């Protein structure tokens, strides 16, 4: 990732462009819809650009933008107050952009059953392949709390899956 002391328009665009696909995947994990994911990205990019002066450590640009995208996704879903239909699950704009597990409808159904905080942990850890340290920075919680919550959540999901079989 780039590291600048003072961001210019071009540097912001360069940093954003370098992680564009990752940011799209993050937004898409919340909406399962290309149009909605792009809307979230648009709003997050605008807010990030407008509040760039608040970024205290430019080397944390990626973490900072990810946090903005997550909060925008929460806000978007709260505003929409809608359920994602089965047809929208099947709407994958670019299959090469996602792992095979992400294309599986059951994964999205499982994520949709979770509260927002738990969903965010799994999306960041397994879809975005973030470290526990990065997740802790993004969510502003201690790293050990992230680990504990993630492991408890995985145990809960395994128990529910084995109970459902």
């Amino acid at each position: 990732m780039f590291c600048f002391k003072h961001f210019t328009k071009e540097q912001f665009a360069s940093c954003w462009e370098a992680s564009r696909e990752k940011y799209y995947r993050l937004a898409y994990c919340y909406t399962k819809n290309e149009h909605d994911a792009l809307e979230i990205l648009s709003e997050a990019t605008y807010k990030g650009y407008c509040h760039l002066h608040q970024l205290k450590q430019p080397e944390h640009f990626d973490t900072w933008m990810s946090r903005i995208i997550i909060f925008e996704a929460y806000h978007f879903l709260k505003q929409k107050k809608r359920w994602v239909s089965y047809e929208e699950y099947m709407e994958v704009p670019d299959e090469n952009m996602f792992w095979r597990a992400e294309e599986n409808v059951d994964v999205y159904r499982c994520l949709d059953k979770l509260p927002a905080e738990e969903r965010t942990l799994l999306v960041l850890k397994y879809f975005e392949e973030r470290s526990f340290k990065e997740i802790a920075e993004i969510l502003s919680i201690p790293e050990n709390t992230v680990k504990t919550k993630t492991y408890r959540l995985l145990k809960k999901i395994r128990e529910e899956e084995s109970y459902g079989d």
Side-chain angles (χ1 to χ4, degrees), residues 94-162:
D94 181 4
E95 293 179 17
N96 296 326
M97 205 177 249
F98 301 101
W99 304 329
R100 290 179 191 228
E102 290 179 35
E103 293 174 356
N104 188 337
V105 173
D106 291 337
V107 173
Y108 288 124
R109 284 186 184 151
C110 181
L111 284 174
D112 282 345
K113 292 178 185 177
L114 299 174
E117 181 182 331
E118 292 177 347
R119 183 180 330 136
T120 297
L121 286 173
L122 293 183
V123 167
L124 290 173
K125 182 66 181 160
Y126 298 104
F127 285 66
E128 291 296 314
E129 298 182 330
R130 302 288 184 131
S131 68
F132 288 121
K133 183 178 180 181
E134 289 175 312
I135 296 169
E137 289 174 8
I138 291 170
L139 300 178
S140 299
I141 58 177
E143 184 176 349
N144 284 334
T145 302
V146 172
K147 289 178 185 178
T148 301
K149 286 182 175 188
T150 301
Y151 292 134
R152 283 184 185 160
L153 178 58
L154 291 174
K155 182 180 177 185
K156 178 176 121 179
I157 291 171
R158 284 186 195 111
E159 288 172 356
E160 288 176 4
E161 288 298 313
S162 65

Side-chain angles (χ1 to χ4, degrees), residues 2-48:
F2 303 96
C3 179
F4 305 108
K5 289 184 181 179
H6 301 287
F7 275 66
T8 64
K9 292 177 188 178
E10 293 78 20
Q11 291 164 332
F12 176 87
S14 178
C15 288
W16 191 92
E17 186 64 29
S19 298
R20 171 176 62 98
E21 289 181 14
K22 179 171 49 172
Y23 297 152
Y24 174 79
R25 282 194 314 267
L26 181 59
Y28 188 86
C29 284
Y30 285 92
T31 63
K32 285 74 143 193
N33 176 292
E34 180 181 10
H35 177 6
D36 293 345
L38 291 173
E39 189 173 326
I40 289 169
L41 279 184
S42 176
E43 189 64 26
T45 303
Y46 173 74
K47 286 186 178 178

